[in-house]
Amino acid sequence: MMLKYYKKRYEVITQGKYPANRKKIMLANLAHEMETTFNIPMQSNPGWEQENIEVFALYRQVSVSRR
């Protein structure tokens, strides 16, 4: 499943010894790819979030890690 691929990429990025600015770029790219692959809406959509709980949880985790 594609979600496993994105989870693994997230782990590699966050656990890797990359400079902070590079990690932010990599996480931004990951978030963008997830938006495209999973058709993540730009505005909050509780219905979509309920139907895609695992995808949304990882997307939120990626977003929080970018800070």
Side-chain angles (χ1 to χ4, degrees):
M1 179 180 201
M2 289 297 296
L3 189 57
K4 283 185 180 182
Y5 167 75
Y6 287 106
K7 283 182 180 181
K8 184 63 178 172
R9 279 188 56 197
Y10 174 76
E11 290 174 12
V12 168
I13 294 168
T14 56
Q15 295 174 6
K17 296 186 182 212
Y18 304 104
N21 61 339
R22 179 71 181 138
K23 275 189 184 185
K24 285 184 180 186
I25 293 169
M26 294 169 80
L27 289 166
N29 289 337
L30 179 60
H32 178 71
E33 288 179 35
M34 288 183 69
E35 290 166 2
T36 303
T37 301
F38 298 110
N39 297 314
I40 298 173
M42 291 290 112
Q43 294 184 339
S44 180
N45 182 333
W48 185 93
E49 293 167 15
Q50 281 294 333
E51 292 173 14
N52 301 279
I53 293 172
E54 289 185 60
V55 171
F56 186 65
L58 178 60
Y59 182 72
R60 290 283 307 224
Q61 193 173 12
V62 171
S63 296
V64 168
S65 296
R66 289 173 58 190
R67 297 179 188 160

